[in-house]
Amino acid sequence: MRILHCSDVHITEDYLALPLHRLGWRRWLALVELSLGGRAKRYARAPQVLSTIVREAEAHHVDHLILSGDLTAYALEGEFAGARKALGPLAEDPRRCTVVPGNHDVFTPGSIRSDRFGAHFGQLLHSDLPEYRREGVWPVVRLVGDEVAVVGLHSTRVAPLPAFPYGVIGEAQLDGLAALLKDPRLDGRAVLVTVHHAPRNRKGVADRWNHGLRDADALLRLLPGPRFAVLHGHIHERYHHPATADRPHLFGAGSSTEAGHEGYWLIEVARGQVVGGQQHTPAL
């Protein structure tokens, strides 16, 4: 089976065309990053790039597409709508697509209160094994064919300040995952756990304390060996750390739509094991 993994697509509104009073102070700070930092320019073509990745998923005969968070720049309604449009029919089909939110998708308390992520992607959050839910809809479990189980976890919390976008899965979801892994319906399946924050960075060490996944070690202890993989985004670096006897494969998808760094993983699964992955650059 073949899984496409992309992340951090950051569909971005034209912020300078929006009323400033509607943005809120967090997005006011973000305007510096968007304009002077060049972020808006780097993601100007994000909808077209994501649409191209979706088309290539069909060409590669992908069984499932996974997007590990940060669908939006700063959680505006129009950005969520743009991400859903760019995903096309996949955004309607939980058999073929799994998404989890990133820190940019819950950037403001208002975006959480109105559940903008759920309003646009709730149709993808129905679990095949709902008895393992522990925090709202999470973990979300998708049984793909006869060889793969995709498990979505929610690691994003509203940061006290934008400079502290760390992640926490939490004991409840980790307990649900531990119970799920004992279910005989997962026997013979590779288990691909999708979470936004990175358990390890490109160098194989924990991310910065204010940016990383706080309970990464607890997650990795549950997933020993090549049957398991953790697919993540957040740190905009694309890499693969192969599994060891006591640790899963780790796939960082980078930022799949950032100008000059576009790309995604094609992950191969055979006989209930993750057997490798290939990086691809979309043909733009």
Side-chain angles (χ1 to χ4, degrees), residues 129-169:
L129 302 177
E131 60 268 37
Y132 296 106
R133 291 173 175 168
R134 297 294 187 272
E135 183 182 347
V137 301
W138 311 98
V140 171
V141 184
R142 184 73 56 230
L143 303 179
V144 182
D146 297 324
E147 291 191 70
V148 174
V150 176
V151 181
L153 299 176
H154 189 337
S155 64
T156 55
R157 311 289 184 232
V158 174
L161 292 170
F164 294 86
Y166 59 83
V168 178
I169 298 168

Side-chain angles (χ1 to χ4, degrees), residues 107-253:
F107 195 72
T108 63
S111 65
I112 294 178
R113 286 194 301 270
S114 60
D115 190 20
R116 287 185 192 139
F117 183 85
H120 288 275
F121 296 101
Q123 67 278 4
L124 299 180
L125 302 180
H126 299 291
S127 180
D128 289 338
L129 302 177
E131 60 268 37
Y132 296 106
R133 291 173 175 168
R134 297 294 187 272
E135 183 182 347
V137 301
W138 311 98
V140 171
V141 184
R142 184 73 56 230
L143 303 179
V144 182
D146 297 324
E147 291 191 70
V148 174
V150 176
V151 181
L153 299 176
H154 189 337
S155 64
T156 55
R157 311 289 184 232
V158 174
L161 292 170
F164 294 86
Y166 59 83
V168 178
I169 298 168
E171 290 185 8
Q173 289 184 65
L174 290 171
D175 287 346
L177 175 61
L180 167 67
L181 294 175
K182 298 174 184 176
D183 192 306
R185 288 171 289 185
L186 267 61
D187 290 351
R189 292 178 181 268
V191 179
L192 308 183
V193 174
T194 304
V195 65
H196 180 61
H197 290 80
R200 297 288 185 267
N201 64 18
R202 179 187 288 277
K203 296 180 180 180
V205 300
D207 194 7
R208 304 187 310 276
W209 70 272
N210 65 317
H211 195 262
L213 183 63
R214 294 285 177 88
D215 42 10
D217 290 346
L219 173 65
L220 296 180
R221 282 195 296 269
L222 294 173
L223 306 169
R227 179 188 170 203
F228 303 103
V230 175
L231 282 53
H232 69 83
H234 191 50
I235 57 177
H236 292 199
E237 295 180 344
R238 191 169 299 117
Y239 53 85
H240 171 214
H241 295 310
T244 64
D246 57 359
R247 194 198 66 199
H249 292 273
L250 301 177
F251 288 94

